[in-house]
PDB file of all heavy atoms in Angstrom:
ATOM      1  N   VAL J 106      18.298 139.175 105.485  1.00 61.00           N
ATOM      2  CA  VAL J 106      17.235 138.287 105.047  1.00 61.00           C
ATOM      3  C   VAL J 106      16.177 138.181 106.149  1.00 61.00           C
ATOM      4  O   VAL J 106      16.504 137.888 107.295  1.00 61.00           O
ATOM      5  CB  VAL J 106      17.785 136.877 104.733  1.00 61.00           C
ATOM      6  CG1 VAL J 106      16.663 135.933 104.373  1.00 61.00           C
ATOM      7  CG2 VAL J 106      18.813 136.935 103.653  1.00 61.00           C
ATOM      8  N   LYS J 107      14.953 138.456 105.796  1.00 61.00           N
ATOM      9  CA  LYS J 107      13.812 138.261 106.691  1.00 61.00           C
ATOM     10  C   LYS J 107      12.680 137.677 105.857  1.00 61.00           C
ATOM     11  O   LYS J 107      12.440 138.120 104.732  1.00 61.00           O
ATOM     12  CB  LYS J 107      13.348 139.587 107.318  1.00 61.00           C
ATOM     13  CG  LYS J 107      14.309 140.206 108.272  1.00 61.00           C
ATOM     14  CD  LYS J 107      14.376 139.481 109.582  1.00 61.00           C
ATOM     15  CE  LYS J 107      15.354 140.198 110.511  1.00 61.00           C
ATOM     16  NZ  LYS J 107      16.049 139.287 111.379  1.00 61.00           N
ATOM     17  N   MET J 108      11.975 136.725 106.416  1.00 58.00           N
ATOM     18  CA  MET J 108      10.807 136.199 105.729  1.00 58.00           C
ATOM     19  C   MET J 108       9.754 137.292 105.691  1.00 58.00           C
ATOM     20  O   MET J 108       9.581 138.054 106.633  1.00 58.00           O
ATOM     21  CB  MET J 108      10.283 134.972 106.472  1.00 58.00           C
ATOM     22  CG  MET J 108      11.267 133.807 106.475  1.00 58.00           C
ATOM     23  SD  MET J 108      10.610 132.427 107.414  1.00 58.00           S
ATOM     24  CE  MET J 108      10.229 131.335 106.083  1.00 58.00           C
ATOM     25  N   SER J 109       9.033 137.389 104.604  1.00 62.00           N
ATOM     26  CA  SER J 109       8.071 138.472 104.420  1.00 62.00           C
ATOM     27  C   SER J 109       6.977 138.462 105.508  1.00 62.00           C
ATOM     28  O   SER J 109       6.463 139.501 105.895  1.00 62.00           O
ATOM     29  CB  SER J 109       7.444 138.421 103.046  1.00 62.00           C
ATOM     30  OG  SER J 109       6.779 137.189 102.843  1.00 62.00           O
ATOM     31  N   GLN J 110       6.659 137.280 106.020  1.00 67.00           N
ATOM     32  CA  GLN J 110       5.638 137.178 107.059  1.00 67.00           C
ATOM     33  C   GLN J 110       6.069 137.852 108.349  1.00 67.00           C
ATOM     34  O   GLN J 110       5.230 138.166 109.212  1.00 67.00           O
ATOM     35  CB  GLN J 110       5.297 135.712 107.346  1.00 67.00           C
ATOM     36  CG  GLN J 110       4.787 134.938 106.179  1.00 67.00           C
ATOM     37  CD  GLN J 110       5.912 134.266 105.401  1.00 67.00           C
ATOM     38  OE1 GLN J 110       7.020 134.787 105.291  1.00 67.00           O
ATOM     39  NE2 GLN J 110       5.610 133.103 104.862  1.00 67.00           N
ATOM     40  N   TYR J 111       7.366 138.031 108.549  1.00 69.00           N
ATOM     41  CA  TYR J 111       7.864 138.586 109.806  1.00 69.00           C
ATOM     42  C   TYR J 111       7.481 140.055 109.969  1.00 69.00           C
ATOM     43  O   TYR J 111       7.377 140.544 111.093  1.00 69.00           O
ATOM     44  CB  TYR J 111       9.387 138.462 109.872  1.00 69.00           C
ATOM     45  CG  TYR J 111       9.924 137.076 110.110  1.00 69.00           C
ATOM     46  CD1 TYR J 111       9.093 135.967 110.146  1.00 69.00           C
ATOM     47  CD2 TYR J 111      11.272 136.853 110.281  1.00 69.00           C
ATOM     48  CE1 TYR J 111       9.589 134.687 110.347  1.00 69.00           C
ATOM     49  CE2 TYR J 111      11.782 135.593 110.486  1.00 69.00           C
ATOM     50  CZ  TYR J 111      10.938 134.518 110.525  1.00 69.00           C
ATOM     51  OH  TYR J 111      11.460 133.256 110.738  1.00 69.00           O
ATOM     52  N   PHE J 112       7.321 140.793 108.878  1.00 76.00           N
ATOM     53  CA  PHE J 112       7.126 142.233 108.995  1.00 76.00           C
ATOM     54  C   PHE J 112       5.864 142.608 109.763  1.00 76.00           C
ATOM     55  O   PHE J 112       5.869 143.516 110.573  1.00 76.00           O
ATOM     56  CB  PHE J 112       7.190 142.896 107.618  1.00 76.00           C
ATOM     57  CG  PHE J 112       8.548 142.813 107.027  1.00 76.00           C
ATOM     58  CD1 PHE J 112       8.836 141.930 106.017  1.00 76.00           C
ATOM     59  CD2 PHE J 112       9.586 143.620 107.499  1.00 76.00           C
ATOM     60  CE1 PHE J 112      10.113 141.830 105.469  1.00 76.00           C
ATOM     61  CE2 PHE J 112      10.848 143.526 106.965  1.00 76.00           C
ATOM     62  CZ  PHE J 112      11.129 142.642 105.943  1.00 76.00           C
ATOM     63  N   SER J 113       4.776 141.899 109.520  1.00 80.00           N
ATOM     64  CA  SER J 113       3.554 142.215 110.255  1.00 80.00           C
ATOM     65  C   SER J 113       3.690 141.861 111.736  1.00 80.00           C
ATOM     66  O   SER J 113       3.222 142.581 112.608  1.00 80.00           O
ATOM     67  CB  SER J 113       2.330 141.535 109.636  1.00 80.00           C
ATOM     68  OG  SER J 113       2.474 140.128 109.662  1.00 80.00           O
ATOM     69  N   VAL J 114       4.359 140.743 112.011  1.00 84.00           N
ATOM     70  CA  VAL J 114       4.561 140.336 113.400  1.00 84.00           C
ATOM     71  C   VAL J 114       5.504 141.311 114.119  1.00 84.00           C
ATOM     72  O   VAL J 114       5.186 141.788 115.225  1.00 84.00           O
ATOM     73  CB  VAL J 114       5.152 138.903 113.480  1.00 84.00           C
ATOM     74  CG1 VAL J 114       5.495 138.505 114.901  1.00 84.00           C
ATOM     75  CG2 VAL J 114       4.156 137.911 112.867  1.00 84.00           C
ATOM     76  N   TYR J 115       6.628 141.621 113.510  1.00 82.00           N
ATOM     77  CA  TYR J 115       7.543 142.576 114.101  1.00 82.00           C
ATOM     78  C   TYR J 115       6.867 143.927 114.318  1.00 82.00           C
ATOM     79  O   TYR J 115       7.044 144.558 115.354  1.00 82.00           O
ATOM     80  CB  TYR J 115       8.780 142.768 113.215  1.00 82.00           C
ATOM     81  CG  TYR J 115       9.858 141.764 113.490  1.00 82.00           C
ATOM     82  CD1 TYR J 115      10.367 140.970 112.448  1.00 82.00           C
ATOM     83  CD2 TYR J 115      10.405 141.608 114.736  1.00 82.00           C
ATOM     84  CE1 TYR J 115      11.361 140.046 112.677  1.00 82.00           C
ATOM     85  CE2 TYR J 115      11.414 140.681 114.986  1.00 82.00           C
ATOM     86  CZ  TYR J 115      11.902 139.905 113.954  1.00 82.00           C
ATOM     87  OH  TYR J 115      12.887 139.011 114.168  1.00 82.00           O
ATOM     88  N   SER J 116       6.147 144.393 113.344  1.00 86.00           N
ATOM     89  CA  SER J 116       5.460 145.664 113.451  1.00 86.00           C
ATOM     90  C   SER J 116       4.520 145.674 114.644  1.00 86.00           C
ATOM     91  O   SER J 116       4.526 146.629 115.437  1.00 86.00           O
ATOM     92  CB  SER J 116       4.705 145.937 112.169  1.00 86.00           C
ATOM     93  OG  SER J 116       3.828 147.028 112.311  1.00 86.00           O
ATOM     94  N   GLU J 117       3.742 144.636 114.795  1.00 89.00           N
ATOM     95  CA  GLU J 117       2.783 144.549 115.887  1.00 89.00           C
ATOM     96  C   GLU J 117       3.486 144.534 117.249  1.00 89.00           C
ATOM     97  O   GLU J 117       3.072 145.198 118.195  1.00 89.00           O
ATOM     98  CB  GLU J 117       1.891 143.321 115.735  1.00 89.00           C
ATOM     99  CG  GLU J 117       0.818 143.176 116.771  1.00 89.00           C
ATOM    100  CD  GLU J 117      -0.213 144.313 116.741  1.00 89.00           C
ATOM    101  OE1 GLU J 117      -0.459 144.876 115.663  1.00 89.00           O
ATOM    102  OE2 GLU J 117      -0.731 144.655 117.826  1.00 89.00           O
ATOM    103  N   LEU J 118       4.565 143.763 117.343  1.00 91.00           N
ATOM    104  CA  LEU J 118       5.257 143.627 118.626  1.00 91.00           C
ATOM    105  C   LEU J 118       6.099 144.850 119.006  1.00 91.00           C
ATOM    106  O   LEU J 118       6.246 145.169 120.181  1.00 91.00           O
ATOM    107  CB  LEU J 118       6.177 142.405 118.576  1.00 91.00           C
ATOM    108  CG  LEU J 118       5.491 141.049 118.552  1.00 91.00           C
ATOM    109  CD1 LEU J 118       6.523 139.942 118.334  1.00 91.00           C
ATOM    110  CD2 LEU J 118       4.701 140.809 119.824  1.00 91.00           C
ATOM    111  N   LEU J 119       6.655 145.512 118.012  1.00 93.00           N
ATOM    112  CA  LEU J 119       7.664 146.539 118.302  1.00 93.00           C
ATOM    113  C   LEU J 119       7.218 147.982 118.083  1.00 93.00           C
ATOM    114  O   LEU J 119       7.947 148.910 118.449  1.00 93.00           O
ATOM    115  CB  LEU J 119       8.917 146.250 117.482  1.00 93.00           C
ATOM    116  CG  LEU J 119       9.540 144.870 117.689  1.00 93.00           C
ATOM    117  CD1 LEU J 119      10.821 144.739 116.871  1.00 93.00           C
ATOM    118  CD2 LEU J 119       9.790 144.581 119.147  1.00 93.00           C
ATOM    119  N   LYS J 120       6.041 148.193 117.543  1.00 92.00           N
ATOM    120  CA  LYS J 120       5.630 149.578 117.247  1.00 92.00           C
ATOM    121  C   LYS J 120       5.579 150.450 118.511  1.00 92.00           C
ATOM    122  O   LYS J 120       5.805 151.629 118.441  1.00 92.00           O
ATOM    123  CB  LYS J 120       4.332 149.606 116.471  1.00 92.00           C
ATOM    124  CG  LYS J 120       3.134 149.068 117.189  1.00 92.00           C
ATOM    125  CD  LYS J 120       1.905 149.075 116.279  1.00 92.00           C
ATOM    126  CE  LYS J 120       0.743 148.359 116.930  1.00 92.00           C
ATOM    127  NZ  LYS J 120      -0.341 148.183 115.976  1.00 92.00           N
ATOM    128  N   LYS J 121       5.313 149.853 119.659  1.00 94.00           N
ATOM    129  CA  LYS J 121       5.242 150.652 120.910  1.00 94.00           C
ATOM    130  C   LYS J 121       6.620 151.192 121.304  1.00 94.00           C
ATOM    131  O   LYS J 121       6.685 152.095 122.156  1.00 94.00           O
ATOM    132  CB  LYS J 121       4.645 149.809 122.035  1.00 94.00           C
ATOM    133  CG  LYS J 121       5.515 148.653 122.496  1.00 94.00           C
ATOM    134  CD  LYS J 121       4.810 147.841 123.571  1.00 94.00           C
ATOM    135  CE  LYS J 121       5.617 146.661 123.990  1.00 94.00           C
ATOM    136  NZ  LYS J 121       4.885 145.812 124.919  1.00 94.00           N
ATOM    137  N   PHE J 122       7.697 150.681 120.733  1.00 96.00           N
ATOM    138  CA  PHE J 122       9.029 151.149 121.061  1.00 96.00           C
ATOM    139  C   PHE J 122       9.516 152.249 120.141  1.00 96.00           C
ATOM    140  O   PHE J 122      10.557 152.864 120.366  1.00 96.00           O
ATOM    141  CB  PHE J 122      10.045 149.991 120.997  1.00 96.00           C
ATOM    142  CG  PHE J 122       9.806 148.932 122.034  1.00 96.00           C
ATOM    143  CD1 PHE J 122       9.167 147.752 121.718  1.00 96.00           C
ATOM    144  CD2 PHE J 122      10.238 149.126 123.341  1.00 96.00           C
ATOM    145  CE1 PHE J 122       8.961 146.776 122.663  1.00 96.00           C
ATOM    146  CE2 PHE J 122      10.035 148.147 124.305  1.00 96.00           C
ATOM    147  CZ  PHE J 122       9.372 146.978 123.968  1.00 96.00           C
ATOM    148  N   ARG J 123       8.776 152.549 119.089  1.00 95.00           N
ATOM    149  CA  ARG J 123       9.216 153.535 118.100  1.00 95.00           C
ATOM    150  C   ARG J 123       9.353 154.918 118.732  1.00 95.00           C
ATOM    151  O   ARG J 123       8.487 155.364 119.477  1.00 95.00           O
ATOM    152  CB  ARG J 123       8.243 153.583 116.924  1.00 95.00           C
ATOM    153  CG  ARG J 123       8.253 152.306 116.126  1.00 95.00           C
ATOM    154  CD  ARG J 123       7.507 152.377 114.868  1.00 95.00           C
ATOM    155  NE  ARG J 123       8.307 153.126 113.885  1.00 95.00           N
ATOM    156  CZ  ARG J 123       7.855 153.475 112.700  1.00 95.00           C
ATOM    157  NH1 ARG J 123       6.618 153.226 112.353  1.00 95.00           N
ATOM    158  NH2 ARG J 123       8.638 154.119 111.859  1.00 95.00           N
ATOM    159  N   ASN J 124      10.471 155.556 118.419  1.00 97.00           N
ATOM    160  CA  ASN J 124      10.773 156.905 118.877  1.00 97.00           C
ATOM    161  C   ASN J 124      10.791 157.027 120.385  1.00 97.00           C
ATOM    162  O   ASN J 124      10.536 158.095 120.932  1.00 97.00           O
ATOM    163  CB  ASN J 124       9.818 157.918 118.258  1.00 97.00           C
ATOM    164  CG  ASN J 124       9.913 157.881 116.742  1.00 97.00           C
ATOM    165  OD1 ASN J 124      11.009 157.954 116.170  1.00 97.00           O
ATOM    166  ND2 ASN J 124       8.788 157.708 116.080  1.00 97.00           N
ATOM    167  N   LYS J 125      11.106 155.914 121.072  1.00 97.00           N
ATOM    168  CA  LYS J 125      11.239 155.907 122.531  1.00 97.00           C
ATOM    169  C   LYS J 125      12.611 155.320 122.871  1.00 97.00           C
ATOM    170  O   LYS J 125      13.182 154.573 122.100  1.00 97.00           O
ATOM    171  CB  LYS J 125      10.147 155.053 123.153  1.00 97.00           C
ATOM    172  CG  LYS J 125       8.775 155.633 122.956  1.00 97.00           C
ATOM    173  CD  LYS J 125       7.731 154.833 123.651  1.00 97.00           C
ATOM    174  CE  LYS J 125       6.391 155.549 123.439  1.00 97.00           C
ATOM    175  NZ  LYS J 125       5.286 154.655 123.500  1.00 97.00           N
ATOM    176  N   LYS J 126      13.088 155.659 124.046  1.00 97.00           N
ATOM    177  CA  LYS J 126      14.347 155.079 124.483  1.00 97.00           C
ATOM    178  C   LYS J 126      14.123 153.603 124.758  1.00 97.00           C
ATOM    179  O   LYS J 126      13.241 153.234 125.547  1.00 97.00           O
ATOM    180  CB  LYS J 126      14.823 155.803 125.760  1.00 97.00           C
ATOM    181  CG  LYS J 126      16.178 155.391 126.207  1.00 97.00           C
ATOM    182  CD  LYS J 126      16.652 156.201 127.383  1.00 97.00           C
ATOM    183  CE  LYS J 126      18.028 155.672 127.783  1.00 97.00           C
ATOM    184  NZ  LYS J 126      18.552 156.425 128.896  1.00 97.00           N
ATOM    185  N   CYS J 127      14.899 152.773 124.075  1.00 96.00           N
ATOM    186  CA  CYS J 127      14.788 151.343 124.271  1.00 96.00           C
ATOM    187  C   CYS J 127      16.124 150.693 123.863  1.00 96.00           C
ATOM    188  O   CYS J 127      16.955 151.352 123.230  1.00 96.00           O
ATOM    189  CB  CYS J 127      13.643 150.735 123.464  1.00 96.00           C
ATOM    190  SG  CYS J 127      13.824 150.817 121.686  1.00 96.00           S
ATOM    191  N   LYS J 128      16.289 149.436 124.242  1.00 96.00           N
ATOM    192  CA  LYS J 128      17.508 148.730 123.925  1.00 96.00           C
ATOM    193  C   LYS J 128      17.133 147.435 123.223  1.00 96.00           C
ATOM    194  O   LYS J 128      16.467 146.564 123.795  1.00 96.00           O
ATOM    195  CB  LYS J 128      18.265 148.438 125.210  1.00 96.00           C
ATOM    196  CG  LYS J 128      19.723 148.086 125.033  1.00 96.00           C
ATOM    197  CD  LYS J 128      20.423 147.895 126.364  1.00 96.00           C
ATOM    198  CE  LYS J 128      20.494 149.184 127.135  1.00 96.00           C
ATOM    199  NZ  LYS J 128      21.269 149.039 128.391  1.00 96.00           N
ATOM    200  N   LEU J 129      17.558 147.311 121.966  1.00 96.00           N
ATOM    201  CA  LEU J 129      17.303 146.123 121.155  1.00 96.00           C
ATOM    202  C   LEU J 129      18.607 145.385 120.919  1.00 96.00           C
ATOM    203  O   LEU J 129      19.618 145.996 120.558  1.00 96.00           O
ATOM    204  CB  LEU J 129      16.686 146.508 119.805  1.00 96.00           C
ATOM    205  CG  LEU J 129      16.414 145.342 118.830  1.00 96.00           C
ATOM    206  CD1 LEU J 129      15.136 145.601 118.065  1.00 96.00           C
ATOM    207  CD2 LEU J 129      17.567 145.105 117.874  1.00 96.00           C
ATOM    208  N   VAL J 130      18.593 144.078 121.148  1.00 93.00           N
ATOM    209  CA  VAL J 130      19.751 143.227 120.924  1.00 93.00           C
ATOM    210  C   VAL J 130      19.355 142.214 119.854  1.00 93.00           C
ATOM    211  O   VAL J 130      18.330 141.551 119.981  1.00 93.00           O
ATOM    212  CB  VAL J 130      20.180 142.480 122.202  1.00 93.00           C
ATOM    213  CG1 VAL J 130      21.314 141.517 121.930  1.00 93.00           C
ATOM    214  CG2 VAL J 130      20.552 143.474 123.286  1.00 93.00           C
ATOM    215  N   GLU J 131      20.173 142.131 118.811  1.00 94.00           N
ATOM    216  CA  GLU J 131      19.934 141.106 117.787  1.00 94.00           C
ATOM    217  C   GLU J 131      21.143 140.205 117.668  1.00 94.00           C
ATOM    218  O   GLU J 131      22.262 140.668 117.483  1.00 94.00           O
ATOM    219  CB  GLU J 131      19.606 141.704 116.423  1.00 94.00           C
ATOM    220  CG  GLU J 131      19.266 140.587 115.443  1.00 94.00           C
ATOM    221  CD  GLU J 131      18.562 141.051 114.195  1.00 94.00           C
ATOM    222  OE1 GLU J 131      18.790 142.188 113.745  1.00 94.00           O
ATOM    223  OE2 GLU J 131      17.754 140.263 113.654  1.00 94.00           O
ATOM    224  N   ILE J 132      20.890 138.912 117.776  1.00 89.00           N
ATOM    225  CA  ILE J 132      21.924 137.901 117.605  1.00 89.00           C
ATOM    226  C   ILE J 132      21.902 137.525 116.124  1.00 89.00           C
ATOM    227  O   ILE J 132      20.849 137.204 115.576  1.00 89.00           O
ATOM    228  CB  ILE J 132      21.589 136.656 118.451  1.00 89.00           C
ATOM    229  CG1 ILE J 132      21.424 137.052 119.914  1.00 89.00           C
ATOM    230  CG2 ILE J 132      22.679 135.603 118.262  1.00 89.00           C
ATOM    231  CD1 ILE J 132      20.657 136.028 120.722  1.00 89.00           C
ATOM    232  N   GLY J 133      23.064 137.592 115.498  1.00 88.00           N
ATOM    233  CA  GLY J 133      23.172 137.302 114.073  1.00 88.00           C
ATOM    234  C   GLY J 133      23.236 138.571 113.254  1.00 88.00           C
ATOM    235  O   GLY J 133      22.239 139.033 112.706  1.00 88.00           O
ATOM    236  N   VAL J 134      24.409 139.170 113.202  1.00 88.00           N
ATOM    237  CA  VAL J 134      24.589 140.461 112.524  1.00 88.00           C
ATOM    238  C   VAL J 134      24.733 140.293 110.998  1.00 88.00           C
ATOM    239  O   VAL J 134      24.229 141.110 110.250  1.00 88.00           O
ATOM    240  CB  VAL J 134      25.826 141.206 113.103  1.00 88.00           C
ATOM    241  CG1 VAL J 134      26.188 142.410 112.277  1.00 88.00           C
ATOM    242  CG2 VAL J 134      25.562 141.556 114.570  1.00 88.00           C
ATOM    243  N   LEU J 135      25.426 139.247 110.570  1.00 82.00           N
ATOM    244  CA  LEU J 135      25.690 138.988 109.177  1.00 82.00           C
ATOM    245  C   LEU J 135      26.302 140.221 108.512  1.00 82.00           C
ATOM    246  O   LEU J 135      27.363 140.650 108.915  1.00 82.00           O
ATOM    247  CB  LEU J 135      24.439 138.498 108.438  1.00 82.00           C
ATOM    248  CG  LEU J 135      24.625 137.905 107.033  1.00 82.00           C
ATOM    249  CD1 LEU J 135      25.523 136.698 107.055  1.00 82.00           C
ATOM    250  CD2 LEU J 135      23.297 137.570 106.411  1.00 82.00           C
ATOM    251  N   ASP J 136      25.654 140.807 107.539  1.00 82.00           N
ATOM    252  CA  ASP J 136      26.166 141.969 106.833  1.00 82.00           C
ATOM    253  C   ASP J 136      25.624 143.300 107.343  1.00 82.00           C
ATOM    254  O   ASP J 136      25.791 144.321 106.697  1.00 82.00           O
ATOM    255  CB  ASP J 136      25.912 141.837 105.334  1.00 82.00           C
ATOM    256  CG  ASP J 136      26.768 140.750 104.706  1.00 82.00           C
ATOM    257  OD1 ASP J 136      27.931 140.577 105.133  1.00 82.00           O
ATOM    258  OD2 ASP J 136      26.284 140.059 103.815  1.00 82.00           O
ATOM    259  N   GLY J 137      24.945 143.293 108.477  1.00 83.00           N
ATOM    260  CA  GLY J 137      24.551 144.535 109.136  1.00 83.00           C
ATOM    261  C   GLY J 137      23.229 145.143 108.730  1.00 83.00           C
ATOM    262  O   GLY J 137      22.821 146.143 109.292  1.00 83.00           O
ATOM    263  N   GLY J 138      22.556 144.584 107.744  1.00 79.00           N
ATOM    264  CA  GLY J 138      21.321 145.179 107.273  1.00 79.00           C
ATOM    265  C   GLY J 138      20.274 145.381 108.360  1.00 79.00           C
ATOM    266  O   GLY J 138      19.618 146.405 108.402  1.00 79.00           O
TER     267      GLY J 138
END
C-alpha cells in the first residue's frame, strides 16, 4: 500500500539511484510488495 501522491515524491528523490549501486532499507515489509 502506498498513497498515490507518494509516487511523484519517491520518483523525484530516488531517480538518481536508478541502475546504480545503492543500498535501500525499508522498515515495514508486510507482504513484500
Side-chain angles (χ1 to χ4, degrees):
V106 176
K107 293 287 181 213
M108 296 178 107
S109 60
Q110 301 91 325
Y111 288 4
F112 293 104
S113 61
V114 174
Y115 274 124
S116 169
E117 184 63 30
L118 291 173
L119 303 183
K120 64 185 173 188
K121 68 183 177 186
F122 294 100
R123 294 189 78 187
N124 301 309
K125 295 183 177 153
K126 187 175 178 179
C127 66
K128 198 176 294 184
L129 178 143
V130 176
E131 184 164 31
I132 305 159
V134 170
L135 192 60
D136 290 324

